[in-house]
């Protein structure tokens, strides 16, 4: 019993009642007739001589009787199994089963299990027990009442596993040799000792594997949500680009496809009228799949207008003055052009820029007057060979448009048709490849989009000009940004011109 420092230990007096020849007699620990077997033990009583420290019932303590050392924790902390033989009063203990007890002790020893006797008896009582049983196991002291509560009514054997009672037997029902040979049967159901291997496995699972699995699951869920998000974005983008593609396709189908002839300074009046008639007749016979325009010298305009079916072939001039009217000898104003019945005028042709010094400023004036007079403008742009070789084609074309037409309002822009004519391809027989032409026209459309918006750009007709003939027209016109051609040499023969027009049917 662990007595707090300064507290007195409770002192007991134990009285043993024995019977001999029907006569009862009381003995105490000092005069108990250990060696006189004629006295038969009947009962024991314990009375408190001096009240001292009373340990609470859970304050179970085991003390070494000789040294007074408290061994409780040491025994409870013991690893593995520990047998405790509980015999409160060895003076009166039943020695009929000491063989069984010795057998269990041998079994414990052989298996490396601890085995201790716990008693409330004095050294004398312990000595008596050793004498009659030959016990070799150590006896430690524990309070008698506490011991009784350990085993309840009758003393016996307790089996501990690492400080926890996992089974107990009364004196009359000690485990037999057979049960001892199957040690697991010693363990009361529901009191299995903890299996450390399993506990370690469970601990590893709880501490490492489970968090890892959770982490992996979380990571996978996160990755999946990201994938779903990305896919949704991708689907959205795809839908958007599909919509845009459809829109562009629709716009392309909607925007005017045009084949325009530029006669330049060719054909007498009579020849011109005949050519115009021939073109008109062939297109009347076989409706074109595009708008057709012929642009003639000024002097042809009025006469050609008379032979053309305006619903089939449009008419345009090749130039107009940069002045409204007045003393400008040799010039022809936009109003005069319009008055012939013409609906179009070509402006900014490279030959006019090159040979007649038409600057961006002059062209800006011409465009303004042409539009003011209700003419549609076929505005030309394009780079020289040197400029292309220096890779300045984009820069040159942009400057030409910037200088003469990008000042127009969106409303005015509706009357503009652009024609990209690389100077190095005009009348040289050296056509730009369809890819080169497409690349430039796509660029021109992109700068129109920057200026007037995508929608307007998609509605703007942009033509290619420069050695365009019936043989290369289908390939050129198959490109998404090429909306037709401005034709020089090949527009002077009705059949050649028709061949180009027919490229839109392929
Ligand atoms: P060619 O078709 O003769 O090359 O001329 C193109 C042109 O300048 C059209 O305006």
């Amino acid at each position: 019993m662990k007595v707090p420092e300064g507290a007195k230990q409770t002192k007991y007096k134990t009285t043993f009642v024995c019977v001999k020849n029907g006569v009862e007699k009381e003995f105490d620990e000092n005069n108990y007739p250990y060696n006189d077997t004629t006295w038969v033990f009947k009962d024991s009583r314990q009375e408190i001589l001096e009240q001292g420290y009373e340990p609470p019932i859970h304050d179970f303590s085991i003390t070494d009787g000789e040294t007074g050392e408290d061994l409780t924790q040491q025994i409870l902390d013991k690893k593995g199994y520990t047998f405790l033989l509980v015999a409160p009063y060895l003076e009166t203990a039943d020695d009929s089963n000491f063989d069984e007890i010795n057998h269990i002790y041998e079994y414990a020893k052989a298996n490396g299990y601890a085995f201790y006797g716990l008693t409330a008896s004095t050294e004398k009582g312990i000595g008596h027990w050793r004498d009659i049983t030959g016990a070799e196991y150590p006896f430690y002291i524990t309070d008698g009442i506490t011991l009784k509560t350990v085993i309840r009514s009758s003393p016996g054997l307790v089996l501990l596993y690492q400080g926890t009672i996992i089974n107990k037997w009364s004196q009359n029902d000690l485990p037999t040799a057979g049960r001892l040979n199957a040690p697991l049967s010693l363990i009361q159901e529901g009191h299995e000792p903890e299996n450390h291997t399993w506990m370690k496995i469970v601990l590893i699972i709880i501490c490492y594997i489970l968090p890892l699995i959770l982490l992996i699951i979380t990571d996978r869920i996160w990755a999946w949500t990201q994938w779903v998000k990305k896919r949704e974005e991708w689907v959205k983008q795809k839908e958007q680009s599909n919509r845009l593609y459809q829109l562009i396709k629709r716009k392309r189908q909607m925007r005017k496809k045009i084949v325009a002839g530029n006669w330049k300074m060719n054909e007498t009046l009579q020849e011109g009228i005949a050519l115009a008639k021939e073109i008109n007749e062939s297109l009347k016979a076989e409706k074109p799949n595009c708008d057709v325009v012929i642009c003639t010298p000024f002097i042809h305009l009025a006469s050609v207008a008379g032979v053309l079916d305006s619903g089939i072939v449009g008419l345009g001039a090749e130039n107009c003055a940069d002045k409204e009217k007045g003393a400008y000898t040799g010039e022809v104003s936009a109003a005069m052009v319009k008055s012939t019945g013409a609906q179009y005028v070509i402006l900014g042709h490279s030959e006019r820029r090159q040979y007649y010094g038409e600057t961006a400023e002059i062209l800006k004036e011409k465009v303004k007057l042409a539009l003011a007079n209700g003419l549609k403008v076929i505005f030309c742009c394009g780079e020289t060979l040197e400029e292309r070789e220096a890779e300045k084609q984009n820069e040159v074309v942009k400057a030409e448009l910037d200088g003469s037409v990008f000042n127009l309002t969106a409303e005015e822009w509706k009357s503009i048709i652009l024609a990209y004519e690389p100077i190095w391809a005009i009348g040289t027989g050296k056509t730009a490849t369809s890819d080169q032409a497409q690349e430039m026209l796509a660029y021109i459309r992109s700068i129109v989009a920057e200026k007037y918006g995508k929608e307007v750009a998609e509605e703007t007709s942009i033509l290619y000009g420069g050695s365009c003939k019936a043989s290369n027209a289908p390939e050129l016109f198959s490109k998404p940004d090429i909306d037709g051609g401005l034709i020089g040499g090949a527009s002077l023969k009705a059949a050649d011109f028709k061949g180009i027009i027919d490229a839109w049917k392929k």
Side-chain angles (χ1 to χ4, degrees), residues 278-336:
E278 201 182 344
I279 292 168
N280 196 63
E281 286 312 304
S282 73
L283 294 178
K284 223 157 104 179
E286 200 189 323
K287 282 258 158 58
N289 243 2
C290 60
D291 285 6
V292 176
V293 180
I294 51 174
C295 299
T296 73
F298 292 129
I299 62 143
H300 295 64
L301 286 173
S303 307
V304 168
V307 299
L308 289 181
D309 194 329
S310 65
I312 297 173
V313 185
L315 180 63
E318 296 169 17
N319 184 24
C320 72
D322 61 337
K323 303 288 186 298
E324 204 178 334
K325 64 180 197 176
Y328 301 103
T329 306
E331 285 296 295
V332 177
S333 72
M336 291 171 187

Side-chain angles (χ1 to χ4, degrees), residues 76-225:
L76 293 181
D77 285 349
K78 252 189 175 358
K79 296 267 174 251
Y81 297 102
T82 300
F83 284 97
L84 297 178
L85 176 68
V86 178
Y89 304 110
L90 291 168
E91 294 83 346
T92 62
D94 181 5
D95 60 1
S96 61
N97 55 5
F98 72 82
D99 276 345
E100 276 170 86
I101 292 168
N102 282 345
H103 187 75
I104 295 165
Y105 171 62
E106 291 305 325
Y107 162 81
K109 228 167 53 171
N111 286 284
Y113 305 151
F115 190 107
Y116 307 112
L118 296 186
T119 184
S121 288
T122 58
E123 279 306 310
K124 241 184 194 166
I126 295 168
H128 169 69
W129 179 258
R130 289 200 194 287
D131 289 346
I132 58 170
T133 65
E136 288 173 1
Y137 38 86
F139 264 100
Y140 296 132
I141 309 301
T142 290
D143 164 65
I145 296 165
T146 310
L147 278 182
K148 277 193 176 175
T149 62
V150 172
I151 207 87
R152 298 285 148 129
S153 53
S154 69
L157 191 68
V158 170
L159 179 61
L160 298 183
Y161 181 79
Q162 296 184 4
T164 303
I165 296 174
I166 58 168
N167 207 349
K168 56 190 182 179
W169 300 267
S170 84
Q171 203 89 282
N172 312 322
D173 187 27
L174 291 174
T176 59
R179 283 171 72 190
L180 287 174
N181 286 334
L184 273 182
S185 69
L186 295 177
I187 301 160
Q188 216 172 35
E189 220 180 300
H191 283 92
E192 284 86 359
E194 303 138 48
N195 185 323
H196 281 263
T197 311
W198 277 109
M199 270 181 66
K200 273 179 199 156
I201 292 170
V202 169
L203 262 174
I204 288 169
I205 289 172
I206 290 172
C207 296
Y208 298 102
I209 298 174
L210 215 63
L212 196 72
I213 290 171
L214 282 174
L215 201 75
I216 291 169
I217 292 173
T218 315
D219 178 66
R220 289 300 83 203
I221 290 173
W222 186 82
W224 182 73
T225 54

